[in-house]
Amino acid sequence: MDISKITAAAVAQTNEFQLALASLNFDFSLFKIEAPQEYKAVGMSLSPSRKQNAEEGPAHRTARKLDALIGSLVTPPEALVKVYGQRVSEICSTPSSNPRGSRAHGMFQNYVGANSTTIWAAATSGKGALAVHLLACMLARLWTPAEATSIWVEIVEERKAQILAECDPNEPSHYALIRPRAIADKANQRQHSQLRLIIENLSTSVNNSSVVYSSVIKAWRSGTEMVQNLLMGISQRVNNGAVLLALSAWHLYPDMDVFCVSNKTVEQKDPLMSGHGDILVTLTIPSPVLWRPRALSTFGGRGRIAGAIQ
């Protein structure tokens, strides 16, 4: 083989490597993706300042960087992306859940209503960013902002270490904001209360992994896959708490077949989940769904934290 060709190939690869390193400081806000149709109402509900932040500002850059860092670890199924978009658009379009600001609110006009900035930032950053947003919802459902941020720090550091070990420097890092959930809980209060009642009487854990990174990624994948199966019409038996955490965090409410002293079907009547698969749950000793990975926390040192679905 011609030595000059080998040398040229090596130089080309080196240039690509240097370009990849340079991209770590690239302005990710330059890349904006058309949001899926199901999310359009979210963008329309945002105030101008929040929309600018989601499309061009720090929220958008965070979503893009997280997509590059961990978005490829879980591919969100089309059906889940669609139904979640329909749910958040439904909430954002409901005046009682998301009132609009007016001149009467004065200087706070742009800050009235549900802050769905991170949802729109993810929707305009790609499906990987939406997958990361779904993970953020799962973490926010169980832990306080400080605890969840601590877990994000460990996820990012572990993922960066993996990338360095694989000699692939293409993915930048950052960690996400925690999305408030109270408005969405209230918008689906009856269904959410029913699901929470089941969760509080189910003796199980999200998974049994004690390492933060592997535990979180495992729960993320498991929850995504099981919800996708439900949307495909395949009923799911609850063997761990991952799917219940996912449903609670994403505000999706399938019907539930509950096996206890007397068997009962809990009809949630969620139009987005009607006609799809059911959740099969066996209740034992009352005990909430827990998640106990070991957390490396920059906010409180090493220790063990446990979260219970709220």
Side-chain angles (χ1 to χ4, degrees):
M1 181 179 290
D2 189 343
I3 297 297
S4 63
K5 291 183 179 180
I6 297 176
T7 304
V11 170
Q13 289 181 352
T14 301
N15 290 338
E16 290 176 4
F17 184 81
Q18 291 174 340
L19 181 61
L21 285 175
S23 72
L24 291 176
N25 295 319
F26 196 76
D27 187 356
F28 277 73
S29 67
L30 293 177
F31 288 90
K32 177 187 171 185
I33 296 172
E34 184 72 16
Q37 183 63 36
E38 293 78 17
Y39 292 79
K40 296 293 186 181
V42 176
M44 294 173 62
S45 71
L46 288 172
S47 66
S49 60
R50 285 174 172 172
K51 192 170 186 179
Q52 189 277 334
N53 184 18
E55 294 181 349
E56 303 173 5
H60 187 78
R61 291 194 293 272
T62 296
R64 289 288 302 172
K65 291 179 180 181
L66 277 169
D67 180 12
L69 185 66
I70 63 173
S72 62
L73 296 179
V74 174
T75 302
E78 291 287 343
L80 176 55
V81 170
K82 181 177 180 179
V83 76
Y84 181 73
Q86 291 173 328
R87 173 62 76 221
V88 294
S89 289
E90 172 190 286
I91 295 170
C92 289
S93 301
T94 305
S96 60
S97 299
N98 188 25
R100 295 294 185 92
S102 65
R103 290 183 178 180
H105 295 102
M107 62 185 296
F108 299 104
Q109 179 177 348
N110 288 332
Y111 303 97
V112 174
N115 185 359
S116 50
T117 302
T118 58
I119 302 175
W120 189 242
T124 56
S125 296
K127 291 182 180 178
L130 282 169
V132 175
H133 173 79
L134 293 175
L135 172 59
C137 292
M138 294 175 70
L139 296 179
R141 173 59 73 185
L142 267 78
W143 284 295
T144 66
E147 291 168 339
T149 301
S150 172
I151 293 172
W152 273 115
V153 170
E154 186 149 339
I155 292 172
V156 168
E157 292 304 317
E158 178 64 26
R159 182 61 178 147
K160 286 166 63 179
Q162 287 183 357
I163 292 169
L164 289 175
E166 296 166 0
C167 298
D168 180 5
N170 289 300
E171 298 166 287
S173 64
H174 210 291
Y175 42 94
L177 303 174
I178 306 302
R179 184 175 70 90
R181 62 179 186 270
I183 292 175
D185 289 350
K186 189 174 181 180
N188 302 278
Q189 190 167 8
R190 186 189 69 81
Q191 292 98 330
H192 185 71
S193 296
Q194 290 272 31
L195 179 58
R196 183 175 179 179
L197 183 63
I198 297 298
I199 289 171
E200 289 177 347
N201 286 277
L202 182 63
S203 181
T204 189
S205 60
V206 172
N207 59 51
N208 56 9
S209 177
S210 62
V211 179
V212 172
Y213 180 81
S214 59
S215 177
V216 170
I217 300 304
K218 182 179 180 181
W220 185 19
R221 286 174 173 161
S222 178
T224 298
E225 291 170 1
M226 293 185 77
V227 173
Q228 171 66 4
N229 287 339
L230 288 172
L231 293 170
M232 293 174 63
I234 305 171
S235 295
Q236 300 292 294
R237 180 175 295 279
V238 175
N239 296 317
N240 59 57
V243 66
L244 295 177
L245 170 59
L247 292 169
S248 176
W250 305 338
H251 301 95
L252 300 174
Y253 306 100
D255 292 344
M256 296 178 286
D257 294 324
V258 182
F259 302 96
C260 192
V261 177
S262 60
N263 299 338
K264 182 179 180 181
T265 297
V266 179
E267 295 184 356
Q268 292 284 56
K269 298 181 180 179
D270 183 346
L272 296 182
M273 300 300 291
S274 295
H276 298 298
D278 293 352
I279 287 289
L280 310 179
V281 181
T282 300
L283 298 184
T284 54
I285 302 172
S287 176
V289 174
L290 296 175
W291 199 359
R292 291 191 177 93
R294 175 189 57 76
L296 171 59
S297 173
T298 57
F299 299 92
R302 288 186 179 272
R304 294 182 67 87
I305 59 175
I309 300 177
Q310 302 297 315

